[in-house]
């Protein structure tokens, strides 16, 4: 009896995950309207950076090129306990700019707390933009993202983080593929279906009154973007994703960084369950649980408890998502081939990292925020 119950449960979970992916694949291939209204409110741009001397010059140069009224912008930059030249780079850039404020922490306090400090120091503004050091916006990005807030029901908007270092090795190729699929399929489909896509941690704008309503960014969270998005949706705010508004983004290129990032994201997504409302909210909070379900299903098939047909049904959905993601992203044939070559072996690493992070979460082991 326990085996029968387990196989039925696994089959049901595989069916739910597969049906959701099929729905997203078909929806992502439909065109989505972009925000075209002219809406130029005051924006405070927040950045939390720790040990980011490599990427900061690119971000600051992108800020210099922003096509947005200068009198309506203010930058609040936080050096979150860096041990490199991050603080100096921020201070030098802000020195000649009356519209920039630099805050420094002696010890790392985490992104959410740093953003809350920046939010408290920001001047009155209708919108709050968040950027990471390794996410460099196109000049027109703020104008295009801000236009969505002409709808008073919108609480947050995210743009497309375009992976630019896919060629940096096997890990980067897989991380870029994962990013294309998540954004160009999952996020794009949710936008098309009106399902409140989550923001992506950077290259996103929030309505300040909406942020104030939910108490700002959740301190200690490893997925503050997901938690904020779910909290906004629970309060009746709409969230949006505009795949036509790009920013260059650098994905994890080393095994060490990929593993640490996956550990953070897994723990963060599980932690966001406290904000989840409804089936889709819980599926978001479940994060990478489908990897573990897949692993258990493989064991069930090997034991003869589950038909291999269920695995074929499950695997066909992510394959369709990969093809749809590449079609929508159009990264070029070399990028597509490199990412597909990395898919098999790196997916095994992905599953292993998810299992390890889930085990640590169940055992109550602490997860550290690391940038390297």
């Amino acid at each position: 009896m326990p085996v029968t119950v387990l196989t039925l449960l696994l089959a049901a979970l595989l069916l739910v995950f597969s049906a959701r992916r099929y729905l997203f694949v078909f929806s992502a291939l439909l065109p989505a309207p972009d925000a075209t209204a002219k809406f130029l409110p005051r924006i405070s741009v927040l950045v939390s950076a720790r040990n980011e001397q490599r990427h900061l010059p690119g971000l600051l140069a992108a800020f210099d090129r922003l096509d947005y009224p200068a009198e309506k912008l203010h930058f609040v930059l936080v050096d979150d306990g860096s041990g490199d030249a991050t603080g100096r780079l921020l201070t030098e850039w802000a020195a000649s700019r009356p519209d920039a404020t630099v805050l420094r922490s002696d010890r790392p306090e985490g992104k959410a707390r740093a953003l809350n400090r920046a939010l408290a120091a920001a001047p009155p503004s209708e919108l709050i933009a968040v950027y990471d050091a390794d996410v460099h916006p196109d000049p027109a990005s703020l104008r295009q993202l801000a236009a969505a807030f002409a709808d008073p029901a919108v609480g947050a908007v995210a743009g497309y983080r375009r992976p630019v270092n896919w060629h940096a090795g096997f890990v980067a190729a897989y991380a870029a593929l994962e990013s294309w699929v998540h954004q160009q399929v999952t996020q794009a489909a949710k936008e098309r279906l009106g399902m409140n896509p989550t923001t992506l941690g950077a290259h996103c704008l929030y309505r300040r009154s909406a942020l104030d309503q939910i108490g700002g960014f959740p301190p200690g969270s490893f997925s503050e973007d997901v938690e904020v998005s779910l909290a906004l949706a629970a309060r009746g705010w709409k969230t949006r994703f505009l795949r036509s508004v790009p920013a260059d983004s650098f994905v994890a290129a080393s095994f060490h960084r990929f593993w640490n990032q996956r550990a953070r994201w897994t723990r963060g997504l599980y932690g966001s369950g406290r904000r989840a409302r409804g089936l889709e909210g819980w599926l978001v909070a479940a994060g990478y649980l489908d990897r573990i379900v897949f692993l258990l299903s493989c064991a069930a098939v090997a034991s003869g408890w589950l038909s291999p047909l269920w695995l074929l049904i499950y695997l066909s959905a992510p394959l369709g998502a990969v093809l749809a993601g590449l079609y929508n992203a159009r990264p070029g044939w070399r990028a597509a081939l490199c990412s597909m070559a990395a898919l098999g072996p790196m997916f095994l690493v992905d599953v292993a990292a998810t299992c390890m992070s889930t085990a640590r979460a169940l055992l109550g082991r602490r997860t550290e925020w690391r940038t390297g």
Side-chain angles (χ1 to χ4, degrees), residues 293-322:
V293 171
F294 171 71
L295 199 62
L296 292 174
S297 300
C298 288
V301 169
S303 302
W305 300 339
L306 190 68
S307 168
L309 180 62
W310 285 103
L311 289 184
L312 293 176
I313 293 173
Y314 172 82
L315 289 173
S316 66
L319 177 59
V322 165

Side-chain angles (χ1 to χ4, degrees), residues 205-225:
L205 268 67
Y206 300 94
R207 194 181 298 274
R208 182 160 190 165
S209 59
L211 268 181
D212 291 341
Q213 190 179 53
I214 64 171
F217 300 94
S221 171
F222 289 103
S223 292
E224 84 293 332
D225 51 344

